[in-house]
Amino acid sequence: MKIWWLLNIVWLIIFAAGAIFIGVRKVDGAGAVQTPEIKMLSFGILAVVFLFVILFQLIQLAIIHFMDKKRIQ
């Protein structure tokens, strides 16, 4: 269970770094200027990925709890 929490902290740091990177950059890798609309689109894509990871982590937590409960009985 400790590994699960550690992985969640790592995911949180990765997504926070990604959000900060998107928020502060002026020009992307292709040389396109980042307008507020493009930044919001980038944040939206990051949020969708974040929701996918949250869903996967919740499924993993349910499996961990089920296995622990089964082992106790």
Side-chain angles (χ1 to χ4, degrees):
M1 190 70 154
K2 290 179 184 179
I3 293 174
W4 185 82
W5 281 106
L6 181 65
L7 286 174
N8 283 332
I9 292 170
V10 169
W11 275 115
L12 187 62
I13 291 169
I14 289 170
F15 282 109
I20 291 170
F21 176 73
I22 290 170
V24 300
R25 70 181 180 176
K26 302 286 186 220
V27 178
D28 69 359
V33 176
Q34 296 294 293
T35 63
E37 293 83 10
I38 298 296
K39 284 186 180 185
M40 287 297 119
L41 181 64
S42 297
F43 282 129
I45 293 169
L46 186 66
V48 168
V49 172
F50 188 62
L51 290 175
F52 177 74
V53 170
I54 287 174
L55 178 66
F56 181 75
Q57 289 290 352
L58 289 175
I59 291 170
Q60 202 172 22
L61 179 64
I63 291 170
I64 289 169
H65 276 288
F66 177 75
M67 296 301 273
D68 283 345
K69 191 180 265 189
K70 191 174 182 180
R71 190 175 3 155
I72 291 172
Q73 293 177 353

